[in-house]
């Protein structure tokens, strides 16, 4: 790889902003884009959040899907750096989408509403970051409102998010008196009595920022500000580009892949169906893990064992989708797809590699899916299979009677599936409620015990989409009984263990 190519990789910063809905993610994203000169007026970034009140408004969902493809990845240059912001859906029913997006980032910025503190969605997303040791920075937003005390906010973040905090900036005050922030390593000569006391406490309690501890995911640098008023945002951005990691090595089943390797590798973390129901084409989003991706070059689709080349790959600059000739490790390329890809697929220059870290999580809600139009059985099957490949929900097939079960994170996904089956596949489905607690992927060194278990529990057994055995526990009690009775079997709530 040439030095120029290596430089391209080193200057990349690919990250996601995560937060509970309404904490200010969209506003902050927009301000970052303004600093990068990628947009010129405030209000240009449409929030891709599906309002919680609109849970059964399908048209709204469709509209939102249109917006969210435009804002899926926002790339821009800022000083010497190339920044890629990956958007994450705000609605909790799409949590799994967000988890997968987090597998494609090298770091994250957590936005917390300083009046509300740490909220549920932030906590859940942070769990994923912790699991993956993703470095995170925290932005305490809305300091222009009367909110919680900054020290209490940091205590709360430490406790609730399980990460040590180190403040980097500090606000002059809060609420109506909030005007500015200053860097703690470059304090103003004159400080009010209150701020002097704050400084003493900070110096006494918090260690100096340790970049290594940040990069290993143990410490989060903390910033205060107001995205809305554009205060404290540039301090965050400058610190971010200087300290956030360039593309990190990625673990594959076979070996660790380093970004500056000669060969190209990448994995698909998201598939976005086209808005136009007449052309059932999708965009498959690939995170480039190593090397350089080039247009019209043959790459190996590892699962299919096929060579493929792409004449119109797209990259995302600000909110425009543009055809690109080349993209580097750290970048996201969108590949037009007509059903060749599914989540987790790998493309390489030729090597057989399988990237890890795209597990399925046990769904929270389950329903039987039945055909409601006998003439359209084939369409229904095709539609269900493609939607599952896109990662909209998970499909299980009962080992007892072959019935299909769809598992989701929330009710909204059932509505999306039904709507899309009708509009894109001309198929009709019916749902039948199913009382279910968790889907558990089972594993044991003891083949005999697994065998006995499967025989005894046939009515609870299903196959997932890859044909793996899954135990469908209909209550916490049934699960704990199974765990007691079969001590040599491990029950996992994710498909990767
Ligand atoms: P989200 O993407 O995380 O869901 O949040 P978003 O940026 O849409 O912000 C949610 C609301 O919070 C918006 O108000 C936004 O203007 C406001 N907000 C964001 N940052 C700040 C801040 O620093 N200070 C204050 N006071 N408010 C902030 P809204 O009324 O829901 O929408 P809008 O009418 O302002 O667009």
């Amino acid at each position: 790889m040439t030095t120029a190519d290596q430089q391209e990789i080193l200057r990349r910063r690919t990250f996601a902003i995560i937060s509970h809905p309404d904490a200010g993610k969209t506003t902050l994203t927009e301000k970052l884009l303004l600093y990068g000169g990628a947009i010129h007026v405030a209000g240009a970034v449409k929030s891709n959040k599906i309002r919680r009140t609109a849970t059964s408004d399908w048209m709204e969902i469709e509209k939102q899907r249109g917006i969210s493809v435009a804002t899926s990845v926002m790339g821009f240059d800022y000083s010497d750096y190339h920044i890629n912001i990956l958007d994450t859906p705000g609605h909790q029913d799409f949590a799994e989408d967000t988890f997968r997006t987090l597998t494609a980032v090298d770091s994250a910025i957590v936005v917390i509403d300083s009046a509300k503190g740490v909220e549920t969605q932030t906590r859940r997303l942070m769990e994923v970051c912790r699991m993956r040791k993703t470095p995170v920075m925290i932005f305490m937003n809305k300091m222009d409102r009367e909110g919680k005390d900054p020290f209490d906010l940091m205590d709360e973040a430490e406790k609730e998010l399980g990460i040590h905090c180190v403040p980097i900036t500090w606000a002059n005050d809060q609420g109506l008196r909030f005007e500015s922030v200053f860097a703690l390593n470059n304090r103003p000569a004159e400080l009010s009595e209150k701020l002097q006391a704050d400084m003493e406490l900070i110096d006494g309690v918090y260690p100096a920022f340790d970049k290594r501890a940040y990069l290993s995911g143990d410490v989060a640098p903390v910033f205060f500000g107001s995205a809305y008023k554009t205060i404290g945002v540039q301090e965050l951005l400058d610190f971010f580009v200087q300290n956030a990691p360039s593309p990190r090595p990625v673990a594959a089943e076979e070996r660790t892949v380093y970004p500056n390797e000669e060969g190209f590798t990448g994995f698909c973390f998201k598939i976005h169906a086209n808005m136009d129901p007449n052309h059932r084409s999708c965009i498959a989003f690939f995170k480039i893990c190593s090397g350089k991706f080039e247009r019209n070059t043959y790459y190996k689709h590892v699962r299919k064992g096929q060579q493929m080349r792409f004449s119109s790959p797209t990259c995302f600059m600000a909110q425009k989708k543009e055809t690109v000739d080349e993209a580097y490790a750290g970048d996201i390329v969108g590949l037009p797809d007509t059903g060749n890809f599914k989540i987790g697929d790998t493309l390489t220059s030729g090597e057989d590699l399988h990237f890890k870290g795209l597990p399925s999580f046990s769904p929270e809600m389950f329903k039987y899916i039945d055909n409601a139009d006998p003439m359209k059985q084939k369409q229904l099957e095709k539609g269900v299979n493609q939607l599952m490949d896109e990662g909209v929900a998970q499909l299980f097939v009962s080992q007892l009677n072959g019935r299909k079960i769809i598992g989701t994170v929330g009710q909204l996904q059932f509505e999306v599936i039904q709507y899309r089956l009708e509009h894109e596949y001309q198929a009709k489905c019916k749902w039948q409620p199913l009382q279910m607690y968790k889907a558990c992927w089972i594993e044991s060194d003891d083949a005999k015990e697994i065998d006995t278990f499967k025989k005894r529990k046939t009515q609870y057994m299903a196959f997932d989409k890859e044909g793996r055995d899954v135990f469908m526990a209909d209550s916490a009690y049934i699960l704990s009984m199974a765990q007691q009775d079969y001590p040599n079997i491990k029950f996992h709530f994710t498909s990767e263990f």
Side-chain angles (χ1 to χ4, degrees):
M1 169 166 280
T2 65
T3 323
D5 285 346
Q6 297 209 9
Q7 283 303 328
E8 279 300 330
I9 295 173
L10 285 174
R11 77 184 191 98
R12 271 155 169 78
R13 300 286 181 272
T14 301
F15 75 106
I17 304 183
I18 56 181
S19 69
H20 194 82
D22 280 339
K25 178 164 65 86
T26 310
T27 315
L28 180 64
T29 304
E30 182 165 286
K31 295 300 160 79
L32 295 175
L33 291 178
L34 278 167
Y35 277 117
I39 55 167
H40 301 284
V41 284
V45 179
K46 296 279 183 307
S47 162
N48 101 13
K49 69 187 151 193
I50 297 168
R51 299 267 172 197
R52 273 152 296 166
T53 47
T55 44
S56 55
D57 186 343
W58 304 302
M59 285 322 289
E60 189 58 20
I61 297 164
E62 287 296 287
K63 238 176 24 214
Q64 297 288 359
R65 284 179 49 223
I67 294 166
S68 67
V69 77
T71 56
S72 285
V73 185
M74 285 160 282
F76 63 94
D77 285 316
Y78 177 73
S79 81
D80 295 334
Y81 300 91
H82 181 77
I83 296 176
N84 296 308
I85 305 182
L86 272 57
D87 196 18
T88 52
H91 198 289
Q92 62 170 17
D93 287 11
F94 294 101
E96 191 132 348
D97 255 17
T98 303
F99 295 150
R100 284 192 295 255
T101 298
L102 290 178
T103 64
V105 301
D106 299 301
S107 72
I109 293 181
V110 179
V111 180
I112 294 174
D113 180 333
S114 62
K116 295 194 175 140
V118 176
E119 297 172 87
T120 41
Q121 193 76 340
T122 320
R123 212 176 290 124
R124 291 180 65 180
L125 294 170
M126 186 63 202
E127 268 170 38
V128 181
C129 292
R130 252 204 331 264
M131 207 170 79
R132 304 180 54 80
K133 294 200 173 304
T134 307
V136 302
M137 296 188 184
I138 297 177
F139 186 70
M140 301 290 188
N141 192 28
K142 306 198 187 181
M143 289 298 286
D144 57 314
R145 292 217 181 132
E146 298 301 334
K148 299 187 179 186
D149 174 78
F151 289 105
D152 290 347
L153 278 169
M154 286 194 287
D155 283 352
E156 191 177 326
E158 295 207 329
K159 215 165 73 211
E160 301 268 329
L161 302 179
I163 193 160
H164 295 292
C165 288
V166 172
I168 304 295
T169 62
W170 202 250
N172 77 303
D173 210 324
Q174 244 172 310
L176 288 175
R177 300 161 313 279
F178 172 68
E179 282 168 352
S180 59
V181 300
F182 58 88
L184 285 168
N185 64 7
N186 186 18
R187 303 173 189 183
E190 304 250 318
L191 288 173
S192 68
E193 238 172 76
K194 157 93 172 59
L195 282 176
Q196 275 178 22
D198 285 355
M199 295 306 106
E200 269 175 37
L201 193 52
I202 288 170
D203 293 340
V205 173
Y206 297 99
F209 171 66
D210 172 355
K211 188 163 170 174
R212 264 199 316 203
Y214 157 67
L215 290 176
S216 59
D218 296 320
V219 159
V222 177
F223 299 79
F224 293 86
S226 162
Y228 185 73
K229 297 205 155 180
T230 327
I231 301 174
V233 178
Q234 179 144 29
E235 287 80 355
L236 168 72
L237 180 56
D238 285 335
F239 189 93
F240 174 81
V241 289
Q242 281 163 27
N243 292 284
S246 55
R248 303 201 301 166
V250 187
E253 273 167 31
E254 293 79 2
R255 65 185 184 86
T256 300
V257 175
Y258 293 88
N260 60 356
E261 288 178 16
E262 198 65 46
F264 158 79
T265 63
F267 68 86
C268 174
F269 65 95
K270 172 176 172 138
I271 294 178
H272 209 296
N274 202 310
M275 289 300 291
D276 183 352
N278 298 321
H279 304 93
R280 212 177 288 137
S281 66
C282 306
I283 298 181
F285 290 79
F286 275 77
K287 163 82 184 277
I288 305 180
C289 300
S290 68
K292 184 158 99 174
F293 173 92
E294 288 171 293
R295 192 162 83 94
N296 280 328
T297 301
Y298 278 102
Y299 294 116
K300 183 171 187 179
H301 183 324
V302 174
R303 178 174 56 86
K304 294 201 155 182
Q306 266 173 19
Q307 294 289 326
M308 295 178 83
R309 66 177 173 163
F310 306 89
S311 57
S312 46
T314 49
C315 258
F316 305 82
M317 282 306 282
Q319 291 168 283
K320 284 203 295 289
K321 220 171 77 197
E322 287 172 359
T323 302
V324 287
D325 290 322
E326 53 190 34
Y328 294 88
D331 284 338
I332 311 297
V333 280
L335 304 178
D337 174 38
T338 47
N340 283 312
F341 292 119
K342 50 183 187 176
I343 303 277
D345 275 349
T346 305
L347 279 177
T348 70
S349 295
E351 190 178 350
D352 279 327
L353 277 180
H354 301 83
F355 287 104
K356 294 200 282 197
L358 276 159
S360 302
F361 295 82
S362 172
E364 310 274 323
M365 296 176 80
F366 301 83
K367 286 183 187 186
Y368 282 120
I369 183 167
D370 292 324
N371 185 12
D373 181 349
M375 305 297 288
K376 300 282 171 65
Q377 179 63 29
K378 275 217 171 88
Q379 284 89 329
L380 184 80
E381 264 178 36
K382 184 169 182 193
V384 168
N385 281 335
Q386 288 195 354
L387 293 179
M388 297 308 125
D389 284 351
E390 254 182 57
V392 175
Q394 290 178 59
L395 176 71
F396 302 94
V397 178
S398 162
Q399 295 187 11
L400 181 69
N401 55 22
R403 280 186 81 180
K404 288 185 170 152
I405 300 163
I406 302 282
T408 69
V409 180
Q411 174 61 26
L412 189 52
Q413 281 158 293
F414 291 113
E415 287 160 23
V416 172
I417 292 168
Q418 187 161 7
Y419 180 90
R420 291 189 56 193
L421 284 173
E422 268 178 45
H423 287 79
E424 292 169 34
Y425 300 89
Q426 286 73 48
K428 282 203 166 69
C429 73
K430 284 191 301 225
W431 302 108
Q432 194 186 321
L434 182 58
Q435 188 50 46
M436 196 68 77
Y437 170 63
K438 288 266 189 240
C440 311
W441 284 265
I442 55 173
E443 175 201 30
S444 178
D445 294 334
D446 186 340
K448 229 168 113 195
E449 186 154 322
I450 285 262
D451 218 41
T452 319
F453 179 80
K454 280 169 59 180
K455 282 204 186 100
R456 295 240 173 97
K457 304 278 182 192
T458 319
Q459 76 270 34
Y460 295 110
M461 293 304 298
F463 293 117
D464 74 359
K465 194 132 190 306
E466 316 299 329
R468 288 173 294 212
D469 284 323
V470 177
F471 173 58
M472 309 287 273
D474 58 3
S475 69
Y477 175 74
I478 292 284
L479 176 59
S480 76
M481 289 305 286
Q483 283 165 326
Q484 247 176 50
D485 294 348
Y486 298 88
N488 294 324
I489 297 181
K490 287 197 190 113
F491 298 81
H492 300 280
F493 295 140
T494 66
S495 65
E496 216 173 68
F497 29 83

